[in-house]
Amino acid sequence: MQFLFRVLRKHNMIAYEIGSRLYLNITNKCTCACRFCVRNLSPGVAGYDLRLEKDPNFYEIISAIGDPHGYLEIVFCGYGEPLIRLDTVKAVARWIKVQGIPVRVDTNGLANLFHGRNILPELEGMVDAVSISLNAENAEKYNAICRPVFGPQSYPALLEFIAESKRYVPRVRVSVVDIPEVDIEACREIADRMGVGFKVRHYNPYKY
Ligand code: SF4
């Protein structure tokens, strides 16, 4: 019944299933304006409309999750940058972890600039995995593709965020989108050098 409810309720989705994972959409705000962002072209992903009328609060997110048991992982994801809402991520992640379900955060890695402090120690014990958007092999290209609000300080801060994540989160990987101007192999070398996982995301703006 709960599954049927989720399938039919496609507008304003806070929690949505893809395969055996549940994804949480807790804000549409972001500190980047990536040229490839799905938000530029589509109202959501995988048939779910992820445009939010407002940021959901803790209780609304918990209610949208329902029973978390049975999911392989619960993922804080887009359609926006979840770590902008750090306190909410921490509260919901704590609730999920109490029930024994692994938690992942997909992030643009600029949360330390946004909050003005190193937030990674605050995720220790609550977050099992992070997937961080690297998206380019150097700062110049990153700034042109991702257009971060923090300007030139963003790429060094992103690399620092990746390195720092390894100290507090058990599984760390970086991702790139396979648009033509990105040197995928150079990005893979950065990931190898930093000792983190690597994932190439296929650019498909029409997957909604
Ligand atoms: S970081 Fe993610 S949500 Fe933000 S603009 Fe880039 S692709 Fe979109």
Side-chain angles (χ1 to χ4, degrees):
M1 188 62 182
Q2 190 175 32
F3 175 73
L4 182 65
F5 176 72
R6 282 193 183 121
V7 168
L8 294 176
R9 186 176 173 268
K10 290 193 174 181
H11 177 61
N12 217 27
M13 292 297 289
I14 298 169
Y16 57 101
E17 293 174 338
I18 299 179
S20 51
R21 291 177 170 80
L22 186 71
Y23 291 81
L24 301 180
N25 172 37
I26 64 167
T27 185
N28 287 171
K29 302 180 188 83
C30 189
T31 46
C32 288
C34 300
R35 290 202 342 247
F36 53 75
C37 183
V38 67
R39 301 182 307 170
N40 301 332
L41 293 157
S42 160
V45 296
Y48 298 111
D49 187 335
L50 300 182
R51 293 168 297 181
L52 296 169
E53 282 158 20
K54 68 173 186 67
D55 288 352
N57 63 31
F58 171 83
Y59 299 101
E60 290 166 331
I61 297 167
I62 296 302
S63 165
I65 293 172
D67 180 359
H69 297 99
Y71 291 115
L72 201 61
E73 191 175 49
I74 297 185
V75 184
F76 292 88
C77 192
Y79 206 68
E81 168 50 46
L83 290 179
I84 282 178
R85 301 196 62 207
L86 178 62
D87 289 343
T88 304
V89 168
K90 285 159 53 180
V92 175
R94 195 178 295 118
W95 180 86
I96 296 167
K97 286 294 293 175
V98 164
Q99 305 186 62
I101 311 299
V103 173
R104 189 178 96 208
V105 178
D106 289 2
T107 176
N108 65 13
L110 301 182
N112 288 353
L113 286 178
F114 182 82
H115 294 286
R117 66 179 191 277
N118 180 9
I119 61 111
L120 285 154
E122 300 171 45
L123 302 183
E124 188 171 26
M126 284 181 223
V127 172
D128 302 281
V130 284
S131 180
I132 305 165
S133 301
L134 177 62
N135 283 338
E137 67 276 18
N138 61 49
E140 191 183 3
K141 208 175 273 189
Y142 178 83
N143 291 336
I145 294 170
C146 296
R147 301 180 290 195
V149 295
F150 307 108
Q153 60 180 330
S154 302
Y155 195 73
L158 165 61
L159 295 179
E160 197 180 325
F161 187 93
I162 296 166
E164 197 65 10
S165 292
K166 288 174 58 186
R167 298 179 59 200
Y168 300 102
V169 179
R171 286 186 289 123
V172 180
R173 84 170 178 214
V174 297
S175 68
V176 298
V177 175
D178 64 349
I179 55 174
E181 58 263 57
V182 173
D183 184 336
I184 301 283
E185 288 315 307
C187 292
R188 193 190 307 274
E189 280 171 27
I190 291 172
D192 288 348
R193 262 201 318 274
M194 298 189 81
V196 297
F198 184 68
K199 181 180 172 86
V200 179
R201 295 183 191 277
H202 180 52
Y203 178 56
N204 179 9
Y206 303 108
K207 63 186 171 189
Y208 180 70

